Amino acid sequence: MLTKEELPECPVATTVQLIGNKWKLLIIRNLLKSPQRFTALKNGVPGISQKVLTENLRVLEEDGIICREVFAEVPPKVIYSLTDTGESLLPVIDAMADWGQRYKALLG
């Protein structure tokens, strides 16, 4: 997890740094619905490669946005879910969805 000193001073820049790429936003959007396994996440984010999904999941976990739970099974079962901090992004994602719908309506 980043320290306060490592984050930008501007709160908007902080948010953009933590969730600002399209892959992270789509991963978070999907995990807001329910905890998911890797394959379900990959299928739910069209166009994302396994490598990019893995990288983004690791960063989101390091930043305290998601939790990775590994079950001792063969083969290993891994479930990704949002932490309380990740859950707190719901109003942000909802606001983005509302804005996107209004913008699309403006275009006709």
Side-chain angles (χ1 to χ4, degrees):
M1 188 176 292
L2 296 171
T3 65
K4 189 174 180 180
E5 292 75 30
E6 294 173 306
L7 294 171
E9 187 143 338
C10 171
V12 173
T14 297
T15 304
V16 169
Q17 181 174 328
L18 292 171
I19 65 167
N21 76 43
K22 74 176 182 178
W23 301 121
K24 287 180 184 178
L25 287 169
L26 296 175
I27 292 166
I28 293 166
R29 176 204 63 192
N30 288 359
L31 289 175
L32 280 166
K33 297 173 188 169
S34 66
Q36 296 183 19
R37 296 182 71 172
F38 185 89
T39 302
L41 281 170
K42 185 165 182 336
N43 292 337
V45 182
I48 194 167
S49 69
Q50 183 170 329
K51 178 182 183 251
V52 171
L53 177 57
T54 300
E55 289 169 356
N56 280 279
L57 288 170
R58 284 184 183 148
V59 171
L60 287 166
E61 184 181 11
E62 288 170 11
D63 290 339
I65 308 291
I66 68 168
C67 176
R68 179 179 183 266
E69 187 176 3
V70 181
F71 295 88
E73 299 178 7
V74 178
K77 176 180 175 183
V78 179
I79 301 280
Y80 295 92
S81 60
L82 292 173
T83 61
D84 289 341
T85 301
E87 293 273 344
S88 72
L89 289 166
L90 178 59
V92 175
I93 302 293
D94 283 346
M96 292 176 74
D98 290 344
W99 187 90
Q101 287 177 335
R102 288 192 309 272
Y103 182 77
K104 287 169 90 172
L106 283 173
L107 298 177

